[in-house]
Amino acid sequence: MPRDPRYDVLFEPVRIGPVTARNRFYQVPHCTGFGHKMPRGLAAHRGLKAEGGWAVVCTEEVEIHPSGEVGPHSEGRIWDDRDIPALARMTEAVHAHGGLAGIELVHNGPSCCNRDSREIPLSPRHEPTDSGYAPVQARAMDRSDIRDYRRWHRAAALRARQAGFDIVYVYAGHSLSLPMHFLQRRRNDRSDEYGGSLENRARLLRELIEETKEAVGDTCGVAVRIAVDEMIGPRGIESDGEGRAVIEMMAELPDLWDVNVSDWVNDSATSRFAEEGFQEAQVAFVKQVTSKPVVGVGRFTSPDAMVSQIRRGVLDMIGAARPSIADPFLPKKIEEGRLEDIRECIGCNICVSSDYDIVPLRCTQNPTAGEEWRKGWHPEVIAPKGSDDAVLVVGAGPAGLECARALGQRGYEVHLAEAGEELGGRVTLESRLPGLAAWARVRDYRVQQIAKLPNVHVYRDSRLSAEHVREFAMPRVVIATGARWRRDGVGRANLAPVPGLGGRNVFTPDDLMAEGFALDAEGPVIVFDDDHYYLGGVLAEKLRAEGHEVALVTPAHSASAWTDHTLELARIQRRLLGLGIEIVAKRNLAALHDGAAELACVYSDRRERRPCAALVTVTMRLPEEALYRELAGDPAGLAKAGIRSLRAVGDALAPGTIFAAVYNGHRAAREMDEAVDVDAVAFKRELPVYEEG
Ligand code: ADP
Ligand code: SF4
């Protein structure tokens, strides 16, 4: 289909200094977990974005010097000439598909500990580093340190050009880089020409822009990425205060402004806390004060929202990190009028967690993310079917849906049987919980794709028994029957059932999410969260909204402790506390009796009793594997029915995240009729080259 003329404006070229972007789609710098340790993986990941139509594709932050590195996290590095070949892999991959490659040069100042290099971190003043509670202090930079830093930045810019980059960044975003640290009044207490007035505090930023332009500006666009609002009120940079003033002071200096809010928690807010376009209020002024192109982000997945940003003069280019991960082909799909094929980011930040874990990028919506090089997975292309065998997939949660979709894409005849009337399994249920509506996109994308595949047949209201499966007599069977939450308290903290949990006042997330269920409790409700991801907190919110008095008890240090990996931890505590939910941290559930929960301090085992009219156990799940076990336990029955392969996927194999279920379902589809050698490593590796460095 030709593209809708409404979207033509998105495909206009944009000049960025001496280079021209072919359209307005701009992949802003974002972490991937690949960094300098996995350059091949990185190049393949970035190259695909260019193939998918992004006009500009940027790196993650690229450290310019050993005195500003965030090891063990794997960001880019451009410390000396030996880093050029690895970075050139990326620029070549991007250029091969007509994109411009951008590099975000960074010195992390006091935001890093230099764990790798052991250099002393640098800062506008003496201060502890921002890096958690690490016992590391940064030292105040004197004038010669500042001169050194400027020289390193200039050298990095020249190397970046040598590596083939078209756009070179001066980075003052996220409270992660020295030009921003110098801008911050609360941090910069210097009495020299780099401290005091805003003009002085902005001096370093100005010098870097000028020096980068002087070094590479004849051939490279020079971009500035800056947080125009730190979202901490008058203590920080504010968009109606110094954020605006800085941009006004340097309005025409760079070739492009890439503007956002900081810190990362605010910039990459999840869908639970922020809507598409959520940064508009802070960044909208920028275009009014500069004639240079302006890029901004806001988890844009809707072409109408993008056009509106351009037409209303908010942005010139649509910046995206997460939407480009969830769908590297988003621009192409808009261009080709295939809007229904867009795999919309759900705003869950599983991608961010990969950076925390220092592993290749994971994405809930796009199971091929991070596997582009090492497994050769392409987000849009998949091998044709390996046989004419028909496949029965049992269960239409994220794993079953993705498996059926990908098998259908490969050309298999697929029969997808779902016990319920609705498709989507857990995402359908969870998307009805407070703040999780966007998660239904995991289901919607797949259901929409399956509807376009005549070779995939969906049967609702079809709970299959082992007998049914054998009667179906499909040569291939995939079991995706999901999992159920435990009711007995067993999980991480309690390895044996917790005494007293056999009563009718104990509930699981499955109970709470069941159609028509309403908790009837005369008194306080305790949510015991030993799962530590989002669900305990979300269910506490739901119960509070229904009028219950709620306490969230957890053995961890905070509610939903793992959500520090998804940048949600602080927001979740704020929301729960704001709703009047008590967070009882560092307490395990020891027993439940006589209308009270017995809690044990995780350090001292000191006991306390809390009134508890109803208990919700969010601890762990067990696979719904009875069907799989029954079938697998009867090989003769399988053979008689002509079933040649049987595989459990997703939560039915091992309960995990929605990402894990989608990934596992996808993998099963890719591996259908492939020879899988379980003794071999299933992917390519970037092995170290043992050379004297
Ligand atoms: P996953 O995350 O692994 O996809 P879910 O729990 O989200 O798991 O989805 C599992 C789906 O399987 C649910 O929609 C459930 O109704 C369905 N299901 C479970 N048992 C059967 C069965 N015997 N026959 C058909 N569908 C089933
Ligand atoms: Fe979006 Fe979640 Fe994928 Fe990140 S992991 S790109 S937030 S869908």
Side-chain angles (χ1 to χ4, degrees):
M1 235 169 68
R3 117 179 141 227
D4 186 326
R6 268 186 306 166
Y7 306 134
D8 285 354
V9 67
L10 299 173
F11 295 90
E12 291 168 355
V14 180
R15 247 194 112 64
I16 304 169
V19 297
T20 301
R22 61 184 155 174
N23 60 38
R24 296 183 188 268
F25 292 92
Y26 194 111
Q27 183 245 277
V28 294
H30 71 75
C31 298
T32 59
F34 288 119
H36 65 278
K37 292 181 186 162
M38 292 171 264
R40 293 171 183 82
L42 180 71
H45 177 78
R46 303 290 189 197
L48 262 167
K49 310 267 188 97
E51 187 185 336
W54 298 86
V56 179
V57 180
C58 297
T59 60
E60 49 264 90
E61 61 163 64
V62 177
E63 300 157 352
I64 62 169
H65 193 262
S67 61
E69 53 87 6
V70 292
H73 293 279
S74 185
E75 310 302 327
R77 277 186 181 168
I78 189 158
W79 289 0
D80 63 26
D81 288 353
R82 288 167 298 178
D83 292 312
I84 292 174
L87 290 163
R89 282 181 186 274
M90 170 185 154
T91 59
E92 283 156 20
V94 170
H95 291 159
H97 295 287
L100 298 176
I103 182 168
E104 184 182 64
L105 301 179
V106 177
H107 187 294
N108 285 280
S111 299
C112 66
C113 290
N114 297 332
R115 294 179 178 92
D116 183 359
S117 68
R118 305 184 191 180
E119 296 290 340
I120 296 169
L122 301 173
S123 181
R125 63 170 183 177
H126 291 293
E127 63 175 334
T129 57
D130 297 343
S131 195
Y133 299 111
V136 179
Q137 271 199 207
R139 69 175 174 84
M141 294 167 81
D142 61 20
R143 286 197 178 89
S144 85
D145 292 319
I146 293 176
R147 278 196 299 277
D148 290 344
Y149 164 55
R150 287 164 51 194
R151 202 176 52 254
W152 302 333
H153 197 278
R154 188 176 186 281
L158 289 167
R159 287 191 187 104
R161 175 161 66 185
Q162 228 179 308
F165 285 98
D166 311 284
I167 296 172
V168 177
Y169 268 77
V170 176
Y171 177 49
H174 297 123
S175 195
L176 285 177
S177 78
L178 277 173
M180 176 50 92
H181 298 135
F182 271 76
L183 273 176
Q184 291 166 336
R185 227 179 315 121
R186 65 186 182 282
R187 187 191 305 264
N188 182 344
D189 60 1
R190 303 174 70 93
S191 53
D192 63 5
E193 67 275 24
Y194 289 95
S197 67
L198 179 62
E199 196 170 341
N200 279 358
R201 283 181 280 120
R203 186 179 306 281
L204 184 60
L205 175 61
R206 178 188 288 280
E207 287 172 344
L208 291 178
I209 302 171
E210 285 169 351
E211 287 160 6
T212 308
K213 286 207 81 161
E214 181 271 315
V216 299
D218 55 335
T219 53
C220 300
V222 174
V224 173
R225 192 179 203 197
I226 185 164
V228 296
D229 203 311
E230 295 186 274
M231 311 299 279
I232 52 172
R235 280 195 312 121
I237 305 288
E238 289 183 286
S239 55
D240 55 1
E242 292 195 336
R244 184 184 183 110
V246 170
I247 301 224
E248 279 173 347
M249 278 163 60
M250 304 184 200
E252 301 302 314
L253 213 49
D255 298 315
L256 173 134
W257 288 101
D258 176 349
V259 289
N260 60 8
V261 298
S262 84
D263 52 7
W264 195 14
V265 166
N266 291 312
D267 188 23
S268 289
T270 58
S271 56
R272 191 169 163 192
F273 296 98
E275 297 289 318
E276 182 170 11
F278 61 95
Q279 302 197 12
E280 182 174 329
Q282 284 77 32
V283 305
F285 77 87
V286 180
K287 254 192 74 61
Q288 293 155 22
V289 302
T290 178
S291 69
K292 303 292 178 173
V294 176
V295 181
V297 292
R299 241 181 32 249
F300 292 113
T301 57
S302 141
D304 291 305
M306 297 174 194
V307 168
S308 161
Q309 293 285 312
I310 310 291
R311 293 264 183 244
R312 289 184 298 113
V314 181
L315 301 174
D316 294 297
M317 302 189 78
I318 303 301
R322 292 171 292 176
S324 77
I325 297 167
D327 198 337
F329 278 64
L330 192 151
K332 270 252 156 77
K333 289 174 183 176
I334 298 174
E335 190 170 23
E336 293 168 4
R338 296 193 287 127
L339 302 195
E340 75 286 0
D341 291 342
I342 295 173
R343 213 167 26 245
E344 287 186 289
C345 167
I346 70 165
C348 64
N349 279 5
I350 279 291
C351 48
V352 171
S353 76
S354 334
D355 186 57
Y356 276 77
D357 290 341
I358 324 168
V359 293
L361 197 66
R362 303 177 277 242
C363 171
T364 300
Q365 274 288 55
N366 173 11
T368 68
E371 303 288 15
E372 300 89 350
W373 175 78
R374 66 179 194 176
K375 282 195 168 167
W377 288 3
H378 188 288
E380 302 300 313
V381 182
I382 195 165
K385 65 183 180 179
S387 73
D388 287 331
D389 287 350
V391 188
L392 171 65
V393 179
V394 186
L401 281 174
E402 175 59 18
C403 189
R405 186 207 63 76
L407 285 167
Q409 189 189 0
R410 291 189 64 186
Y412 285 95
E413 180 189 322
V414 182
H415 299 268
L416 174 63
E418 163 54 45
E421 182 50 40
E422 287 185 298
L423 305 179
R426 63 181 287 196
V427 290
T428 293
L429 298 173
E430 292 180 20
S431 66
R432 294 183 183 133
L433 297 173
L436 302 187
W439 296 32
R441 292 173 172 184
V442 173
R443 172 200 63 204
D444 296 343
Y445 164 72
R446 290 170 176 85
V447 169
Q448 219 154 6
Q449 294 300 300
I450 285 172
K452 287 172 46 169
L453 291 165
N455 49 328
V456 182
H457 312 279
V458 180
Y459 311 91
R460 297 168 192 249
D461 260 332
S462 304
R463 178 172 295 280
L464 301 192
S465 63
E467 193 48 43
H468 292 136
V469 172
R470 285 188 291 261
E471 276 169 16
F472 243 106
M474 300 287 162
R476 310 285 185 174
V477 176
V478 176
I479 304 292
T481 45
R484 292 195 77 74
W485 288 90
R486 287 185 82 131
R487 197 181 291 275
D488 56 6
V490 171
R492 279 198 166 85
N494 295 299
L495 302 183
V498 175
L501 265 55
R504 294 160 61 103
N505 57 343
V506 178
F507 302 90
T508 70
D510 296 315
D511 297 331
L512 266 60
M513 291 190 288
E515 184 85 49
F517 177 88
L519 184 67
D520 183 15
E522 295 287 320
V525 180
I526 289 181
V527 175
F528 176 58
D529 183 6
D530 195 21
D531 170 60
H532 310 295
Y533 193 15
Y534 56 92
L535 199 59
V538 170
L539 290 175
E541 266 188 61
K542 172 182 158 68
L543 291 167
R544 186 76 193 107
E546 290 167 3
H548 295 283
E549 180 188 337
V550 183
L552 186 145
V553 173
T554 177
H557 54 75
S558 311
S560 305
W562 193 74
T563 60
D564 63 342
H565 282 56
T566 57
L567 307 175
E568 294 172 294
L569 186 77
R571 274 209 168 93
I572 290 174
Q573 315 306 304
R574 267 202 300 280
R575 177 169 287 177
L576 298 190
L577 294 172
L579 291 170
I581 296 165
E582 190 183 353
I583 299 171
V584 184
K586 294 169 261 176
R587 297 289 184 280
N588 189 17
L589 177 68
L592 180 71
H593 40 69
D594 305 331
E598 186 179 322
L599 307 184
C601 169
V602 295
Y603 298 127
S604 66
D605 200 39
R606 190 174 59 80
R607 303 291 169 118
E608 66 195 82
R609 284 170 64 81
R610 286 185 75 93
C612 177
L615 174 76
V616 180
T617 57
V618 190
T619 58
M620 64 169 284
R621 290 175 295 156
L622 287 172
E624 284 279 25
E625 57 185 355
L627 178 61
Y628 175 77
R629 293 271 163 236
E630 191 180 339
L631 288 165
D634 178 13
L638 289 179
K640 198 163 155 223
I643 297 172
R644 285 207 292 283
S645 75
L646 172 72
R647 180 170 182 166
V649 299
D651 292 330
L653 179 65
T657 57
I658 298 168
F659 153 75
V662 171
Y663 178 82
N664 197 237
H666 186 85
R667 179 176 179 175
R670 293 246 180 199
E671 290 179 353
M672 186 66 68
D673 286 310
E674 293 293 312
V676 176
D677 178 359
V678 294
D679 293 333
V681 179
F683 47 84
K684 289 193 286 184
R685 289 184 294 156
E686 309 211 33
L687 297 168
V689 177
Y690 294 103
E691 267 175 10
E692 288 292 318

